[in-house]
Amino acid sequence: MSAEPSRLNKTDKNRESASARAFLSRFFAAESAGGLVLMGAALAALVVANSPLSADYFSLLKIHFLGLSVEHWINDGLMAVFFLLVGLEIKREMLMGQLSSWGQRSLPGFAALGGMLFPALIYLMVNWGSAETMSGWAIPAATDIAFALGVLSLLGKRAPLSLKVFLSALAILDDLGAVLIIALFYTSDLSITMLLASLGATVLLVALNRCGVRRLFPYLLVGALLWFFMLKSGIHATLAGVILAFFIPLGNPVEERKSPLLYLEEKMHRWVAFAIVPIFGFANAGVSLAGITPHNLIDPVPLGVALGLLLGKQLGVFGLATLVIRCGLARLPEGASWIQLYGVALLCGIGFTMSLFIGALAFPGAPHLVDEVKVGVLLGSTLAAILGIIVLMAANARKSRT
C-alpha cells in the first residue's frame, strides 16, 4: 500500500516531463517559423520604405483613431500581448521548464547577464559625452528569440536540441531583464491617480489567483483594465502584459487543457509569432535609406548599436558562459562543442524586436535618432546572423569529419 503513492507520484512526474517536452517542441517550431516570417516582414518594410509607396507607408502609421496613432496601437497595444506571452514563457520555464532550478538557470542566467552588460558598455563607450544619445544604452542589450531561433532553425537537426534550449532560456531571461530596464529607466510623466488604479487592478489579479480562480476571462478582463491604467500612468503599458502573466495560474501541467497558463500560451503562440511580431516588424523596420552614406554608419548611435549587438553580445554571452563552465558552476550544453556555443553567442546579437522597441522609447522626440537606431539594429543583427551561421556550419563540418 505504501508503495502506491510513490508510484503515482513518479507517474505524475513522468507525465509532467513528457508534457513539458511536447510543449517545448511546439514552442521551438512556432518560434523558428515565426522568426522566418519576421525576417520577411522586416525585409518588406525596408523595400516599401524605399519605394514609391514610402509616403503612404509612413502616413498610414500616423493615422489616429481612439486617441492613438496606428503606430502607437501597434507598439503599446499589440506589443502588450507580446509581453503577455513573454511573461507566460518566463513563468512556465521558472516553474516546470529549463529554468526551474538554480543549476539550470546558472549557464543561461550568467550568459544573459553578460549579454546585457557588455553591449550596454560598448554603446556607452561609443556615445560617451553625448547627453542626447546616452539614453540609448539599453538598445543593444536585447536578444530577439524568434529571430535567433529562426536563424538557428536553418541548420535543421544539425543543431543540437541543447543549443536551442540554451538559446531560448537565455533569450527569455534577457527579455525579463529588458522588461525591468523598461520599467526602471523608460517611464515619464507619472500620474499618481492612474498608478494607484494600476495597483488596484494588480491587487485584483492577486485576489483571483489566491482564490483559486481557473477561468481565464476574469484575468483577461482585469488585465485589460490594468493596460488602460498603465497607459495613462506614464509607465509603459506593455508591462501590464507581464504583470498579468505572472498571476495566470499554472494549474495542472500534466493535462494542458486543465492548465490556464499552458492553454493560453498555446493559443497565443501562433497569433504572436505569425501576426503580432511580424506586424510590429513591418511597422518599425521601415527606414528610408535615401541620403544615408557609409559615413552615417559611423555616427555614434548606429555604430554603438551595431557594435553592441555584434561584439558586445558575443563577448558577454560567450565570455560569462565560459567563466561559469570553467569554474564548475555549469556544464557545456549536452552534445554541443565550444565552437557551437560561440556560434550561438553570435546569434544572440540578433536584437531586432526588443531593440527597436527600446529604441523608440529611448528617443521619443527624435525621429532621426530612431531611424539611426533602426540602421544600427539592422546592420548589427544581420552581421551577427551571418557570422553565427558561418561559425555553426563550420562547427558541424568539423564534427562530421571527426
Side-chain angles (χ1 to χ4, degrees):
M1 294 290 290
S2 60
E4 185 63 19
S6 63
R7 276 202 300 271
L8 289 175
N9 290 337
K10 187 175 181 180
T11 301
D12 286 343
K13 287 180 180 178
N14 289 337
R15 287 178 181 170
E16 183 174 328
S17 178
S19 174
R21 286 196 298 272
F23 199 94
L24 199 61
S25 65
R26 294 197 300 274
F27 169 81
F28 286 135
E31 289 289 353
S32 300
L36 298 177
V37 174
L38 177 57
M39 294 179 204
L43 180 60
L46 273 174
V47 171
V48 171
N50 292 277
S51 74
L53 297 174
S54 61
D56 295 328
Y57 170 80
F58 291 111
S59 297
L60 175 64
L61 295 176
K62 301 303 179 187
I63 293 175
H64 277 69
F65 68 98
L66 297 179
L68 295 175
S69 68
V70 170
E71 185 176 17
H72 278 113
W73 274 114
I74 292 171
N75 291 347
D76 291 356
L78 288 184
M79 288 304 285
V81 181
F82 167 79
F83 273 83
L84 171 59
L85 181 60
V86 167
L88 293 173
E89 289 171 353
I90 293 170
K91 183 173 180 178
R92 168 176 52 79
E93 291 297 319
M94 290 287 189
L95 294 178
M96 57 173 286
Q98 298 302 316
L99 302 173
S100 57
S101 69
W102 287 110
Q104 291 172 305
R105 296 168 194 161
S106 58
L107 183 61
F110 278 98
L113 178 63
M116 289 185 284
L117 182 61
F118 279 72
L121 289 175
I122 287 178
Y123 180 92
L124 287 173
M125 287 170 60
V126 174
N127 287 269
W128 193 257
S130 173
E132 185 184 23
T133 62
M134 290 275 282
S135 60
W137 61 270
I139 295 168
T143 293
D144 191 304
I145 184 171
F147 232 134
L149 281 174
V151 173
L152 189 59
S153 71
L154 298 176
L155 295 174
K157 294 183 178 179
R158 289 172 293 178
L161 177 63
S162 61
L163 281 181
K164 296 178 182 178
V165 171
F166 168 72
L167 178 58
S168 63
L170 185 157
I172 287 170
L173 289 173
D174 192 288
D175 281 344
L176 178 59
V179 168
L180 293 175
I181 287 171
I182 292 169
L184 294 174
F185 299 102
Y186 294 106
T187 58
S188 60
D189 301 325
L190 296 179
S191 166
I192 301 300
T193 302
M194 288 300 170
L195 279 176
L196 291 175
S198 300
L199 179 61
T202 304
V203 171
L204 275 178
L205 290 173
V206 173
L208 289 171
N209 185 280
R210 292 292 185 181
C211 292
V213 175
R214 292 291 180 264
R215 292 184 59 203
L216 284 169
F217 179 75
Y219 290 97
L220 298 179
L221 179 61
V222 176
L225 290 173
L226 177 62
W227 175 85
F228 175 78
F229 294 144
M230 294 191 77
L231 178 69
K232 299 297 183 180
S233 72
I235 296 177
H236 207 273
T238 51
L239 298 179
V242 179
I243 295 172
L244 171 60
F246 287 164
F247 294 105
I248 301 291
L250 178 63
N252 183 0
V254 176
E255 298 183 44
E256 189 174 304
R257 288 191 173 275
K258 293 186 178 181
S259 169
L261 188 151
L262 295 184
Y263 178 79
L264 182 60
E265 187 178 357
E266 174 74 10
K267 294 300 181 183
M268 288 179 61
H269 247 303
R270 292 190 180 277
W271 285 102
V272 171
F274 298 112
I276 290 176
V277 171
I279 288 172
F280 172 85
F282 184 76
N284 287 272
V287 54
S288 175
L289 301 178
I292 293 181
T293 65
H295 183 268
N296 295 128
L297 298 180
I298 60 173
D299 286 345
V301 170
L303 183 62
V305 171
L307 289 179
L309 290 171
L310 182 61
L311 296 181
K313 278 291 183 180
Q314 59 175 297
L315 288 173
V317 171
F318 188 71
L320 261 70
T322 300
L323 180 63
V324 295
I325 291 172
R326 293 298 189 193
C327 291
L329 299 175
R331 292 179 294 182
L332 198 65
E334 185 177 355
S337 66
W338 283 102
I339 299 177
Q340 287 176 318
L341 182 65
Y342 176 64
V344 169
L346 278 166
L347 292 186
C348 289
I350 303 174
F352 193 78
T353 308
M354 199 69 82
S355 293
L356 291 177
F357 187 74
I358 294 176
L361 297 179
F363 307 121
H368 68 288
L369 291 179
V370 174
D371 282 347
E372 289 193 346
V373 167
K374 294 176 182 179
V375 171
V377 169
L378 291 171
L379 179 62
S381 297
T382 301
L383 291 175
I386 293 171
L387 291 176
I389 282 291
I390 290 173
V391 169
L392 288 168
M393 289 181 68
N396 287 331
R398 182 177 177 181
K399 258 189 171 183
S400 63
R401 289 196 301 266
T402 58

